[in-house]
Amino acid sequence: MSHRRGHAAALAGGIAVVLTAGLAGPAPATAADPTFPRPAADPTGPRPTDCPESVGAKAACYTGRDGNGAYYTIAVPRNWNGSLVLHAHGGPDLGSRSDPQRSVDDLDRWSVMVAEGYAWAGSSYRRGGYGTRMAAADTENLRKLFVREFQKPRKTYLHGQSWGGDVAAKAVETYGSRGGRPYDGALLTNGVLGGGSRGYDYRVDLRVVYQYYCQNHPRPSEPPYPLWSGLPKDSTMTGADLEARLQECTGLGSAPADRTARQERNLDDILAVTRIPERSLESHLKFATFTFRDIVDKRLGGRNPFSNKGVRYTGSHDDKALNAGVRRFSADPAAARDLSYDSDLTGKVAIPVLTLHAIDDPTAFVEHEAAYRASLRGAGRDRHLVQTFTREGEHSGLSAAEYANSLAALDTWVREGRKPTPASVAASCPAFDATYGTGCFYDPRFVPGEYASRVRARPGGHSWPAMTAAQERSWGRIPGVGIAP
């Protein structure tokens, strides 16, 4: 028997013990127990590592790097229920290479899934920077690796957070509708579900409105660069430099009493026009600077995928002057197509999808959920979707009890065919909160306004999906379409 087959057999034996003992309560295995999961002997496969402190001794943890250069982390709990969660992380991170620490940190953040008995696997993706299809492919590659190195799980679920929500939703559409359907369901939390072609329009608006009031990005004394580019590719501006310019213009980091009248007025106008919360203004401006540079320069060869033509800005002290003076530009059609092909969603969903979104999310506005529902409805697939909302104001981490509850609701939907409702999900949460004590904040009556109620629609922006399945098929025949991995 090969080392790999021996490893799979040992793991299978462990699962059988857990399942057989389930009615009487599982007896956790120990490291000395021969039924406990063992790493494959293959030196290129997953290697044992210490688990994050939040996981501790509840699981065996492994790290490795796949054939495309993507680092990954895997955790198999000692009381494994036989199912796997594939995690798609947000961002995107902007490093040129895969970050070996990213997936470890993600396991630490979502360790509740391991505590609930699910195996967990997360990829750091093969490189930083934008690339939704690339990230979806790296997530699918990790699923295959888990099956090869361990065994096929009973059920396999996707979990996508933030931009990872778009990644996971793309994986659902790309792989979940194929024969054999490798994924059984998906949980999308605080997802950027408007896709790339519309999901960043409010940051485009921030970029031009900021420059109208602040005139320091670029300064009149600096070489000009188009606002849609974020920054020139050779710029040495740092995050701290940008923070200083934002402070200079708006006094964002100062107490209101310490701001000048000009700073206070600039800040009031920028926030009112863009509808971006004050607490996340800095992070959105950084995205519209550094991530836009990545998208435009590194992924689209300097072509512009963004437009603000025809947008009327309102809410300032002088809308007429603002609209007369704000910079305008139109997208390069091929660049807009490539960004759309890479990241827009068709709504072509064939498996259960449950979403969880904070109503006061300051980063991925809750109206992204309205865009996603409209996309599935436009594709005739909204029967596969249940959306839940909480009265939280966080983006990167919601209540652990809610994550555990959401996974349980999705798992029951998949295994028993009982589709949950927002009310039933809210009602089942207290049982999990008895364990985690982090609170249940569901609002089962909440319905988000349409995407255009928060983000100013461009021409055609009220129709969803932003990319139809027919467009996707047509564009997919064009050599080099999209964003290269």
Side-chain angles (χ1 to χ4, degrees):
M1 180 183 292
S2 71
H3 290 290
R4 180 169 295 175
R5 287 179 181 172
H7 170 58
L11 181 57
I15 295 169
V17 169
V18 169
L19 295 180
T20 302
L23 294 178
T30 67
D33 190 330
T35 67
F36 190 75
R38 305 291 174 185
D42 184 349
T44 65
R47 290 169 292 181
T49 189
D50 291 336
C51 293
E53 186 176 349
S54 62
V55 175
K58 292 192 291 286
C61 294
Y62 309 93
T63 57
R65 196 176 191 186
D66 72 14
N68 291 317
Y71 288 99
Y72 61 83
T73 300
I74 294 171
V76 182
R78 299 179 187 278
N79 62 336
W80 189 26
N81 62 17
S83 293
L84 170 68
V85 174
L86 264 297
H87 173 76
H89 76 69
D93 300 333
L94 296 181
S96 60
R97 297 175 180 169
S98 182
D99 178 5
Q101 188 60 34
R102 177 62 199 247
S103 58
V104 177
D105 292 343
D106 287 336
L107 170 58
D108 187 35
R109 183 181 296 179
W110 283 282
S111 60
V112 60
M113 298 180 178
V114 178
E116 286 299 302
Y118 294 87
W120 187 98
S123 172
S124 294
Y125 312 146
R126 70 190 72 180
R127 61 159 172 78
Y130 208 82
T132 307
R133 288 181 182 269
M134 172 203 72
D138 288 341
T139 301
E140 166 65 2
N141 290 340
L142 181 55
R143 183 198 66 79
K144 292 177 178 177
L145 183 148
F146 186 95
V147 171
R148 183 176 69 247
E149 297 290 339
F150 296 94
Q151 73 167 50
K152 184 177 179 179
R154 289 192 300 168
K155 300 294 180 185
T156 302
Y157 300 120
L158 281 160
H159 171 234
Q161 159 68 22
S162 187
W163 175 61
D166 191 38
V167 172
K170 178 65 74 175
V172 167
E173 295 183 358
T174 304
Y175 308 106
S177 60
R178 294 181 177 178
R181 291 185 186 167
Y183 300 103
D184 297 286
L187 172 64
L188 311 179
T189 59
N190 285 350
V192 180
L193 300 174
S197 71
R198 299 179 188 173
Y200 304 126
D201 280 346
Y202 59 97
R203 287 168 172 156
V204 173
D205 293 338
L206 170 61
R207 193 67 184 82
V208 299
V209 170
Y210 176 87
Q211 184 64 8
Y212 172 79
Y213 288 109
C214 299
Q215 294 296 310
N216 66 7
H217 186 9
R219 301 183 189 278
S221 60
E222 294 174 326
Y225 45 88
L227 302 185
W228 48 260
S229 70
L231 275 176
K233 62 181 179 181
D234 57 352
S235 172
T236 58
M237 181 186 288
T238 65
D241 294 334
L242 185 59
E243 291 169 22
R245 296 189 188 210
L246 179 60
Q247 172 67 16
E248 169 193 295
C249 176
T250 68
L252 181 69
S254 303
D258 295 330
R259 295 170 187 153
T260 67
R262 182 61 179 268
Q263 286 176 329
E264 189 68 31
R265 189 179 180 102
N266 286 344
L267 182 59
D268 286 347
D269 279 338
I270 291 169
L271 297 178
V273 174
T274 63
R275 305 165 186 168
I276 289 174
E278 181 175 335
R279 63 190 171 116
S280 58
L281 179 61
E282 179 187 304
S283 66
H284 284 294
L285 187 59
K286 286 180 176 178
F287 194 105
T289 299
F290 302 108
T291 304
F292 277 21
R293 176 172 62 178
D294 176 83
I295 292 172
V296 170
D297 176 57
K298 294 185 178 180
R299 311 306 158 201
L300 296 175
R303 298 172 297 149
N304 171 30
F306 304 121
S307 172
N308 70 335
K309 189 174 182 180
V311 175
R312 175 164 176 76
Y313 297 105
T314 60
S316 72
H317 288 90
D318 189 342
D319 291 345
K320 182 177 180 180
L322 171 62
N323 283 281
V326 75
R327 302 227 189 138
R328 304 281 181 175
F329 42 80
S330 297
D332 175 286
R337 175 206 65 198
D338 287 349
L339 181 59
S340 179
Y341 180 78
D342 179 76
S343 58
D344 282 343
L345 301 171
T346 66
K348 189 179 64 177
V349 169
I351 61 176
V353 177
L354 177 65
T355 71
L356 174 67
H357 212 118
I359 294 170
D360 194 26
D361 185 336
T363 301
F365 301 149
V366 72
E367 288 80 9
H368 275 275
E369 297 290 340
Y372 191 54
R373 176 168 287 283
S375 295
L376 268 65
R377 184 179 293 124
R381 303 294 183 93
D382 55 321
R383 66 187 180 278
H384 297 296
L385 177 66
V386 173
Q387 295 177 299
T388 62
F389 303 93
T390 72
R391 297 181 300 275
E392 291 170 278
E394 299 299 323
H395 173 66
S396 295
L398 303 178
S399 164
E402 292 167 354
Y403 285 124
N405 181 50
S406 295
L407 263 180
L410 177 64
D411 185 58
T412 299
W413 185 6
V414 168
R415 289 186 297 101
E416 300 179 14
R418 288 193 285 121
K419 184 177 180 179
T421 66
S424 71
V425 174
S428 60
C429 185
F432 292 92
D433 197 42
T435 297
Y436 295 101
T438 54
C440 297
F441 307 98
Y442 291 96
D443 183 347
R445 293 177 297 277
F446 178 81
V447 177
E450 66 170 319
Y451 189 69
S453 70
R454 184 69 177 264
V455 181
R456 299 173 195 278
R458 277 56 176 166
H462 291 274
S463 176
W464 297 89
M467 173 181 65
T468 66
Q471 281 178 313
E472 182 181 42
R473 288 192 298 271
S474 176
W475 288 345
R477 301 186 188 102
I478 300 173
V481 70
I483 290 176

